[in-house]
Amino acid sequence: MSTRSATPPAPAPTPAPTPVPAPESPAAERRARVRRWRASWRRHDTRAAYLFISPWIFGFVVLTAGPMIASLVLSFTNYDGIGPTKGVGMENYRQLFEDPQVATSLMNTLLFSAMRVPLSMALALALAMLLLRVGRAAGFFRTVFYLPVMTPSVAVGILFLLLFNGNMGLINNVLGFFGVSGPSWTTDGTWVKPGLVLTTLWALGGTVVIYLAALRNVPQDLYEAAELDGASRWKAFRHVTLPQISGALFFTLIVNTIASLQTFTEAYTAFFGTSNAQTYSHEAALFYVVYLFQQAFQFMHMGYASALSWLLFLVILVITIIQVKVSKRFVYYEGDTR
């Protein structure tokens, strides 16, 4: 009988470690992105997409980006459209801080925007909620509210003079019927901007239509759940309606703020476009874009006007960035997991 010694099994070979690919250098990543971009052009849908958006790209480059670059260049010159042009460095921008009319017009514009934007949004939301309850006649009233949007801004400026005339205007006549003495809307600097705000509310139909569409998209089961929980109408509005339409509110906040900061036609027509403009308190109606227009096309200070336009651009940019940052705490988006 033979005996065999037990041989221990050989240990399994240790697998070789998987090599970790070395990170690509920035130059290699750029080359890879260029290769992917070139490969995308071989797809038919990519070429079709660029073909469809080409009119917008052409319009943006020729009508927006091109003039912006040109105005940036002109802002460093003394260009007046007639005489020779030479560079003046930062002189136009230094003059912005020394010109008292810049501070006056900018303050007038900011005050006007601070009054008009919240008032127009609140009134438009109230009208939209009323339209939501009208039923079949909502289409008729929606058209009625939107018609003033098509009214030329020049006509709105003339309407301001007719309605808010201190002696014979309709507004003061109505106030007088109730025993209230109306102010001098067009000559008293204190009441010029409130009068213009009330006049521009004439054309809030576009905001009403946006809010009405947003209100119709609010799920009704949320209201039913709030009612079962015993929520009052105010609490349902506060905790259901406002969060659900916060996207529309944020959009109109941005659009109306930019439009208010660029107000021109109504104020210019009412206070600067008539032969007897000097009789009015036009200092209170000197909005920023009105002053910019005067510098560019009345005094032919194109270079200085270009610097004014870039200052307005920066003001709008800063205000918009602040609004976007703040909106992250209050705006609700469907599917947002925050």
Side-chain angles (χ1 to χ4, degrees):
M1 181 177 178
S2 64
T3 60
R4 302 175 55 185
S5 62
T7 304
T14 305
T18 304
V20 178
E24 294 183 346
S25 64
E29 291 181 357
R30 283 196 296 271
R31 286 194 294 271
R33 283 199 296 269
V34 170
R35 284 196 297 271
R36 288 195 296 269
W37 182 76
R38 287 177 177 174
S40 67
W41 277 94
R42 300 191 186 98
R43 295 198 298 267
H44 175 73
D45 53 351
T46 302
R47 294 195 298 271
Y50 280 105
L51 181 62
F52 277 112
I53 66 174
S54 59
W56 180 88
I57 295 176
F58 176 80
F60 176 76
V61 171
V62 175
L63 303 178
T64 302
M68 288 182 67
I69 295 174
S71 69
L72 180 62
V73 174
L74 291 177
S75 68
F76 296 101
T77 68
N78 65 343
Y79 177 66
D80 59 2
I82 301 175
T85 303
K86 64 178 183 179
V88 295
M90 299 294 293
E91 179 60 30
N92 288 329
Y93 290 95
R94 280 195 293 269
Q95 189 178 348
L96 292 177
F97 297 97
E98 299 172 357
D99 187 352
Q101 295 290 74
V102 173
T104 301
S105 59
L106 192 57
M107 185 58 66
N108 287 339
T109 305
L110 292 175
L111 287 176
F112 173 81
S113 302
M115 289 188 288
R116 180 182 178 274
V117 174
L119 186 60
S120 63
M121 291 179 63
L123 185 58
L125 181 58
L127 291 175
M129 295 186 71
L130 287 176
L131 285 178
L132 198 64
R133 298 174 178 275
V134 170
R136 293 183 178 180
F140 170 76
F141 287 106
R142 186 172 60 240
T143 304
V144 170
F145 286 137
Y146 192 78
L147 279 177
V149 177
M150 295 183 286
T151 305
S153 300
V154 174
V156 176
I158 297 174
L159 186 68
F160 170 79
L161 294 178
L162 296 177
L163 291 177
F164 290 89
N165 187 289
N167 297 322
M168 61 188 74
L170 177 63
I171 301 299
N172 279 3
N173 286 336
V174 172
L175 292 176
F177 179 79
F178 293 101
V180 179
S181 180
S184 299
W185 299 91
T186 58
T187 56
D188 188 347
T190 306
W191 291 96
V192 165
K193 284 185 281 295
L196 283 171
V197 169
L198 294 177
T199 306
T200 55
L201 294 179
W202 166 266
L204 52 74
T207 307
V208 173
V209 172
I210 292 173
Y211 289 164
L212 183 61
L215 288 170
R216 285 182 170 171
N217 287 331
V218 178
Q220 292 301 310
D221 54 349
L222 296 179
Y223 290 114
E224 295 172 359
E227 186 177 1
L228 290 175
D229 291 340
S232 62
R233 288 188 177 182
W234 165 249
K235 287 186 177 179
F237 173 77
R238 169 69 178 81
H239 298 288
V240 176
T241 303
L242 286 182
Q244 290 294 316
I245 67 171
S246 57
L249 293 172
F250 174 60
F251 171 75
T252 55
L253 173 66
I254 296 287
V255 173
N256 288 335
T257 301
I258 295 175
S260 298
L261 293 173
Q262 296 177 341
T263 296
F264 168 74
T265 308
E266 295 88 349
Y268 187 84
T269 303
F271 293 95
F272 301 92
T274 58
S275 58
N276 57 345
Q278 295 302 321
T279 62
Y280 295 123
S281 178
H282 59 284
E283 186 76 13
L286 183 64
F287 290 165
Y288 192 86
V289 180
V290 173
Y291 186 59
L292 191 158
F293 177 84
Q294 289 178 332
Q295 289 295 327
F297 299 105
Q298 291 184 4
F299 309 134
M300 301 304 293
H301 299 158
M302 296 289 186
Y304 185 52
S306 298
L308 283 168
S309 66
W310 274 97
L311 177 60
L312 178 62
F313 174 77
L314 292 177
V315 170
I316 293 176
L317 180 64
V318 169
I319 293 176
T320 304
I321 289 175
I322 293 174
Q323 290 174 330
V324 171
K325 293 291 185 183
V326 174
S327 71
K328 293 180 179 179
R329 299 179 57 187
F330 302 102
V331 178
Y332 166 77
Y333 295 102
E334 188 72 27
D336 195 352
T337 57
R338 287 178 302 164

